[in-house]
Amino acid sequence: MKEKIRMGMIGGGKDAFIGAVHRIAANMDGLIELCCGALSVNPETALESGKMLFLPENRTYLNYEEMIKKESEFPENERIHFITIVTPNFAHFAPAMMALEHGFNVVIEKPMTLTLEEAKLLQQKVEETGLTLCLTHTYSGYPMVKQAKEMVKDGALGKIRKIIVEYPQGWLSTLSEREGNAQAAWRTDPKKSGKSGCIGDIGTHAAHLAEYISGLRITQICADLNIVVEGRTIDDDGNILLKFDNGANGVLIASQIAAGEENALNIRIYGEKGGLEWFQHEPNTLLVKWLNKPTEIYRAGGGYLGDFAKHNTRTPGGHPEGLLEAFANIYRNFALTLAAKLNNEEPTPQMLDFPSVYDGVRGMALIENAVASNESDKKWHDFIV
Amino acid sequence: MKEKIRMGMIGGGKDAFIGAVHRIAANMDGLIELCCGALSVNPETALESGKMLFLPENRTYLNYEEMIKKESEFPENERIHFITIVTPNFAHFAPAMMALEHGFNVVIEKPMTLTLEEAKLLQQKVEETGLTLCLTHTYSGYPMVKQAKEMVKDGALGKIRKIIVEYPQGWLSTLSEREGNAQAAWRTDPKKSGKSGCIGDIGTHAAHLAEYISGLRITQICADLNIVVEGRTIDDDGNILLKFDNGANGVLIASQIAAGEENALNIRIYGEKGGLEWFQHEPNTLLVKWLNKPTEIYRAGGGYLGDFAKHNTRTPGGHPEGLLEAFANIYRNFALTLAAKLNNEEPTPQMLDFPSVYDGVRGMALIENAVASNESDKKWHDFIV
Amino acid sequence: MKEKIRMGMIGGGKDAFIGAVHRIAANMDGLIELCCGALSVNPETALESGKMLFLPENRTYLNYEEMIKKESEFPENERIHFITIVTPNFAHFAPAMMALEHGFNVVIEKPMTLTLEEAKLLQQKVEETGLTLCLTHTYSGYPMVKQAKEMVKDGALGKIRKIIVEYPQGWLSTLSEREGNAQAAWRTDPKKSGKSGCIGDIGTHAAHLAEYISGLRITQICADLNIVVEGRTIDDDGNILLKFDNGANGVLIASQIAAGEENALNIRIYGEKGGLEWFQHEPNTLLVKWLNKPTEIYRAGGGYLGDFAKHNTRTPGGHPEGLLEAFANIYRNFALTLAAKLNNEEPTPQMLDFPSVYDGVRGMALIENAVASNESDKKWHDFIV
Amino acid sequence: MKEKIRMGMIGGGKDAFIGAVHRIAANMDGLIELCCGALSVNPETALESGKMLFLPENRTYLNYEEMIKKESEFPENERIHFITIVTPNFAHFAPAMMALEHGFNVVIEKPMTLTLEEAKLLQQKVEETGLTLCLTHTYSGYPMVKQAKEMVKDGALGKIRKIIVEYPQGWLSTLSEREGNAQAAWRTDPKKSGKSGCIGDIGTHAAHLAEYISGLRITQICADLNIVVEGRTIDDDGNILLKFDNGANGVLIASQIAAGEENALNIRIYGEKGGLEWFQHEPNTLLVKWLNKPTEIYRAGGGYLGDFAKHNTRTPGGHPEGLLEAFANIYRNFALTLAAKLNNEEPTPQMLDFPSVYDGVRGMALIENAVASNESDKKWHDFIV
């Protein structure tokens, strides 16, 4: 890389949660420079946030339209290379579309849009423009998740037979959206969050993880979505039976009312020859289970790991890397891809290993299909994209 | 107790697996004496096994009919008090019925019978005779399972909202029934095992555990049973969505093809105020999770535990007790109940805390309902007993 | 075996802790029959305890001298084969010696005696008589400890370089001996317990475990014994640096004031090629660590385990066995050894695999040497037996 | 903060390990900007590394003297605020002293210097100049370590009685210094590393952790340092008995030949009322053990944590943060302290919570005392600074 990749941010003002995480992820490896932002719809917050982030005044914008227009007029060697969108779900599509139309690559939080239709429009625009859209399915950025993917691909487990993926959280066990929790408020409001609460917010992560590691695609589902906490208008819990395109069966469990759970995403994949288990709270460990041999503890940083795991680790074994590094892996791969393209080079498979607009479309399809299946009396619902 | 409780055994000759486990469980506390047996349908095995167990020759029988008849003619102070039946499923009903008809109490392996109909007949006979039938749902014998049950009952978690129970095993990942594995052979043979393989063998344990701890009853299910290993004629895997009588939702996952898993039964129960997690491989630990406090590690032997946990533990904290002790708890409680009855005393709630004929009927109902649900296109199937 | 091995017990009346554990261990496999006892120095307790254990009145004795004499007059086919001694330390030697002198084999709790001198006298008597003395270093009865031993012996780790063994308990964190805790009372009383409290009670277990698994012998120590709780007159804590006969170094940490710890015995052994880790709270797991490969989780019941582990397990993988089974392994091996001898057969190495009088002598030597080293200003103290 | 804090780096060229870690830590929060470097003694490497880091050519220096001189001539609003020194131990003192003399604050890797004498000179210079020196004892940057410290300080455990701290690694199990491992080469070379290998490199971390959390000071030690791998000239392993200034006892175990261990730093602290356990591989968990209550699992991000833990966490519970975040906490606190000083404000206790020159002196004293104790026949050696 000849210069740092330049980034702008939409949303993510002070007090926002995920914007700060994106900035840490972008900062970490010193490859990306935050150059401008439309950080809040509240002008005061936007300005204050710009100061806190040491942004120049002329690149601290009050709305995204202004930012996209002005930035596209900067000379090439100052102009940002990409825009990160970290607003609530309902405010993803418009800025993403406008960014693409003005030639900016895009990083966007999941779920990608409010509706499947919007997602498909973004896909179309990405295909038209040749620009790159990166979706931050954070958990696929962990090195041991990549190791799992590589082992499945290499056939270490044989044909995959069963996948259990769970994402239990407890933070919505009470009606915290009415107690001043801003994160809870928009996530439980269908107008801002979309058709689904729990499945949209975390079920999409779980489904992506299952498909990402296994390389399989969900073909049928049987969904039981629940509103557990009285007074809520959108699912806060769901259990989904799955069928995959190779005939494997599966279960996806997502819940925001699993009292006492933090962010206990976990996955188990079983094949003919062995199984894999990964748990997000201890992300540097991957259990590899065998039919007639001791279970092995694969550890991030191990010399025996594959190329993808190694490429996505910064320190030797025993130096725990966490969620922020997983997030930074996505940003780093995205930045390396942009840099390669800028140099007219072919990005390597390792560089290209970040979730894309196609993953975003599948996530939106999960939401649509899960809601439809939940409303149906029929057991199996075809997963339609 | 004035004397040891006297026991006879049907099945369980040398080389049988579960018979030996029953004998260890019965021996452990020195309250029960094995006095006779019809240990095998193979006469030689029966005689050899009798010798190995130091049984007198005149009480080593060649078939169960003979044993039940002869034993019922012994004087009261020599006659056995109960008969344990450890044959394959298809051979549970007839000896159990005959034992009850001759006045013997019964211990029986799960699933209780081959069909729900048989199970109901046993229930009727137990009610008629006033005798005691104990079903060895082993896992409910663990002290930390009892602690979980007591905490739920006491309202520590508030209203229960969600139950996830899993029983993953990997031992049938290959067609081991054709490679001389006798355990696998009868369990995968519908004539010996019944309508269901995996759900019958281990799904029943999982469902019992969920109902035992939660005190709830399954009212609706949506079952996806699978024959994963080609060449098998009976389910070796299943995923079931659950609804409980208080409105809680749940998931039951049972598998015998989860390659690399041993006997990884586990359960998580979430209520309004907190959650519980128990894992059979580390049975002396119960995780208790709270909304806004640190998770607590309850440990067998802890002075802070309830009466039921304490009654079912033999050693102080830090002295791991295992499956054989859990099994022995069932035998001990059963024996104490018989002794109380013999003395015309009322057994305490702790003594009566072992699975009964009613649990056996619900287990058989699970099998029937799961198979019916699996065959149906409808999403929800009412759980009918 | 043609008949059950017959056992008598000295000590272990109702309310005693370890006596009950010995009986469970002896009962478990149905190979041993408790025939008589001198269960308490309190005559009432002795009689009541005899009744509780269903002993015949004529074999419920009021003191051990009477028991040993009377029992030695029984006809051979009724006479007990061995005597288990479960009194406090100070009351081990006399009954053990008398038992041996009357031709009875002996099982005895650790530490074997009150002094090293007594221990050597027992050793001499055992050698003279050819009888068998078994010392219940329980933890060496665990299958995964045996697996560890076998792997070290087979050279899997290469030359052993370092051993860390710890036995942290918290139960003496307060002066519970003055609050009616009978177990604490005699263990903290030098007249009943011996020269050392903590090292005698649990340090001996830790040292035995280290020597048992590694096959090495401690040759030098540097001991720091502490009386941490004010008002106590005997060590309740100790840290000891170790040197072994092959040049390996080590550390032994034992404490009864490690507040909040249960019975957290653990050991780590490092060799040239890899390391082993075992933790008593999860005894069915042995971690095997390698220089350039993933750590392996060896599990009790695994088909890949060695003969000694398999011989000392009753159930397949995933059926947790615990301390009582480890204890029962010692009794079973001892009983099988006696039975072989009775039949004039050579016991197999697996049968002979229980702690002996020689281990008892080394345990007493540990106590003497640790106390001497603690009192010395010199760093290294030769471990003299 | 009005502007980013400006940083220069000495050492840490491409292929160096710890320099990259420092840069990530400095980058992460967007508060610090790397402005210049003397990144290697090899001019080519220095230049290439400067390019890789997007440094301007005029601030890419070929040696540290040049850098310090030139940088001190920059105008105040461009001049760096501090210099990070990430060279091998022998090359810490001279640049640190020169930096301080030119008015630059300093961040320095541990151990701080090659000798205790040098360390004291640095302390004197820091006191003279009023500048800030930060020592990167990384592990004290973890939020759960800070929580442990706060709980001890608040008396949650009562008086501290015993501390066990271990730092087992396996990476020097073979003579890897002769196989091209550059990290191993200088660390096992006394001329570059100092008097001690293992104790200097990782024993100092362990001792710092023990003193940091407990607030106690080591007063006496009894050290057994070992050269385990033949051909090495400096300790690669050590066991040290400890006494603390409140009378508590302890053990410090450090090893680089614990085959199969990664970076398994762990600490257990026991007081009158309870105990703490922390393990670096799972740094977001702190076990809090109590005499008569269940053990509690404190987790990073928990709302119940103290101010210091919260200040040093970036994400809510369940989002694992790791070593790089711990490292970044040190940099962030250091940067906030510098910014406060620049603004003539009093840094808060949370800002000032990073290891200082005084910790560096104690670390060097540990090395000197451990080597002296090891060479002595006397058991206890006074810890002299």
Side-chain angles (χ1 to χ4, degrees), chain D residues 61-357:
Chain D
Y61 302 98
L62 297 188
N63 60 66
Y64 76 84
E65 293 92 338
E66 186 196 359
M67 172 171 130
I68 294 175
K69 274 183 214 151
K70 289 269 179 68
E71 286 292 322
S72 59
E73 293 158 10
F74 270 86
E76 201 177 340
N77 65 342
E78 291 185 40
R79 193 194 307 156
I80 52 173
H81 296 107
F82 76 97
I83 292 174
T84 287
I85 299 167
V86 290
T87 48
N89 304 350
F90 77 97
H92 286 181
F93 175 73
M97 189 55 95
M98 184 173 171
L100 292 168
E101 284 166 348
H102 284 72
F104 294 114
N105 300 286
V106 168
V107 172
I108 199 167
E109 256 301 315
K110 47 49 47 194
M112 190 163 70
T113 49
L114 204 65
T115 66
L116 177 55
E117 204 184 352
E118 289 176 354
K120 289 180 177 172
L121 291 172
L122 280 189
Q123 176 184 326
Q124 202 179 316
K125 183 58 72 183
V126 164
E127 290 172 348
E128 261 175 50
T129 57
L131 291 163
T132 302
L133 184 150
C134 167
L135 189 78
T136 49
H137 272 309
T138 322
Y139 306 105
S140 65
Y142 276 115
M144 300 318 283
V145 166
K146 299 195 180 290
Q147 178 66 18
K149 180 185 181 61
E150 209 172 344
M151 291 178 78
V152 171
K153 198 179 169 192
D154 291 352
L157 308 188
K159 192 190 154 197
I160 299 306
R161 292 169 160 181
K162 187 177 191 78
I163 300 176
I164 304 169
V165 63
E166 302 179 64
Y167 201 147
Q169 295 181 327
W171 72 298
L172 293 181
S173 290
T174 60
L175 268 186
S176 49
E177 59 264 44
R178 303 216 187 137
E179 295 153 16
N181 183 330
Q183 295 299 323
W186 76 256
R187 276 185 175 78
T188 55
D189 175 354
K191 274 175 262 159
K192 297 186 173 161
S193 179
K195 271 189 187 179
S196 160
C198 176
I199 296 302
D201 195 32
I202 58 175
T204 49
H205 273 311
H208 181 262
L209 193 68
E211 294 195 346
Y212 178 74
I213 297 180
S214 70
L216 302 176
R217 291 292 166 263
I218 296 167
T219 53
Q220 286 188 301
I221 65 172
C222 170
D224 174 33
L225 309 191
N226 301 292
I227 297 173
V228 172
V229 177
E230 268 182 68
R232 203 160 273 158
T233 60
I234 199 170
D235 58 285
D236 50 18
D237 176 90
N239 308 313
I240 310 183
L241 304 179
L242 307 172
K243 296 286 181 191
F244 290 89
D245 54 0
N246 77 336
N249 73 74
V251 181
L252 186 159
I253 301 172
S255 185
Q256 296 166 319
I257 58 85
E261 298 292 357
E262 295 178 347
N263 213 26
L265 175 65
N266 68 83
I267 188 163
R268 283 156 290 156
I269 300 189
Y270 299 103
E272 293 166 324
K273 302 179 196 169
L276 294 176
E277 179 172 349
W278 181 79
F279 178 35
Q280 200 263 147
H281 283 196
E282 297 180 22
N284 297 294
T285 293
L286 176 70
L287 293 181
V288 184
K289 305 176 184 191
W290 302 107
L291 284 185
N292 299 305
K293 286 188 302 183
T295 292
E296 292 175 310
I297 307 177
Y298 279 55
R299 294 271 301 160
Y304 47 80
L305 298 177
D307 287 347
F308 283 81
K310 284 179 177 167
H311 172 72
N312 288 284
T313 316
R314 287 159 186 79
T315 50
H319 299 76
E321 301 192 18
L323 181 123
L324 296 170
E325 285 75 29
F327 220 120
N329 288 337
I330 292 178
Y331 266 93
R332 184 167 61 172
N333 290 339
F334 174 71
L336 292 173
T337 292
L338 294 196
K341 286 183 161 186
L342 289 168
N343 286 340
N344 291 313
E345 292 164 7
E346 190 69 28
T348 66
Q350 279 88 348
M351 292 175 183
L352 288 168
D353 178 25
F354 56 83
S356 72
V357 74

Side-chain angles (χ1 to χ4, degrees), chain B residues 10 64-65 67-68 82-109 111-114 118-119 121-123 125-126 129 131-135 357:
Chain B
I10 295 172
Y64 75 85
E65 294 91 339
M67 173 172 129
I68 294 176
F82 77 95
I83 292 173
T84 286
I85 299 168
V86 289
T87 48
N89 304 350
F90 77 97
H92 287 181
F93 175 72
M97 189 55 95
M98 185 174 169
L100 292 168
E101 284 168 346
H102 284 73
F104 295 113
N105 299 285
V106 168
V107 172
I108 198 167
E109 256 301 317
M112 190 164 70
T113 50
L114 203 64
E118 288 177 355
L121 291 172
L122 281 188
Q123 177 185 326
K125 183 59 72 183
V126 164
T129 58
L131 291 164
T132 301
L133 185 149
C134 168
L135 189 77
V357 73

Side-chain angles (χ1 to χ4, degrees), chain A residues 137-215:
Chain A
H137 272 309
T138 322
Y139 306 106
S140 65
Y142 277 114
M144 299 318 282
V145 166
K146 298 194 181 292
Q147 178 66 19
K149 181 186 181 61
E150 209 172 345
M151 292 179 77
V152 170
K153 199 178 167 191
D154 291 351
L157 308 188
K159 192 190 154 199
I160 299 306
R161 291 169 161 182
K162 188 178 190 76
I163 300 177
I164 304 169
V165 62
E166 302 179 64
Y167 201 146
Q169 296 181 328
W171 72 298
L172 293 181
S173 290
T174 60
L175 267 185
S176 49
E177 58 264 44
R178 303 215 187 138
E179 294 154 15
N181 183 329
Q183 295 298 322
W186 76 255
R187 276 185 174 79
T188 56
D189 176 354
K191 275 175 260 158
K192 297 185 173 161
S193 181
K195 270 189 189 178
S196 160
C198 176
I199 295 303
D201 196 32
I202 58 176
T204 48
H205 273 311
H208 181 261
L209 192 68
E211 293 196 346
Y212 178 73
I213 296 179
S214 71

Side-chain angles (χ1 to χ4, degrees), chain C residues 135-148:
Chain C
L135 189 78
T136 49
H137 271 310
T138 321
Y139 306 105
S140 65
Y142 276 113
M144 299 318 283
V145 166
K146 298 193 181 293
Q147 178 65 19

Side-chain angles (χ1 to χ4, degrees), chain A residues 161-162 166 173 223-224 226 237 239 243 249 251 258-261 268 270-271 289-290 373-374 376-377 379, chain B residues 161-162 166 173 223-224 226 237 239 243 249 251 258-261 268 270-271 289-290 373-374 376-377 379:
Chain A
R161 291 169 161 182
K162 188 178 190 76
E166 302 179 64
S173 290
D224 174 31
N226 301 292
D237 176 270
N239 307 312
K243 296 288 180 189
N249 72 74
V251 182
E261 299 292 357
R268 283 155 289 156
Y270 300 102
K289 306 175 184 192
W290 303 107
S373 169
N374 183 54
S376 165
D377 287 340
K379 187 188 279 179
Chain B
R161 290 169 162 182
K162 188 178 190 79
E166 301 180 64
S173 290
D224 173 32
N226 302 292
D237 177 89
N239 307 313
K243 295 289 180 187
N249 73 74
V251 181
E261 298 292 357
R268 283 156 290 157
Y270 299 103
K289 306 175 183 192
W290 302 107
S373 170
N374 182 55
S376 164
D377 287 341
K379 188 189 278 179

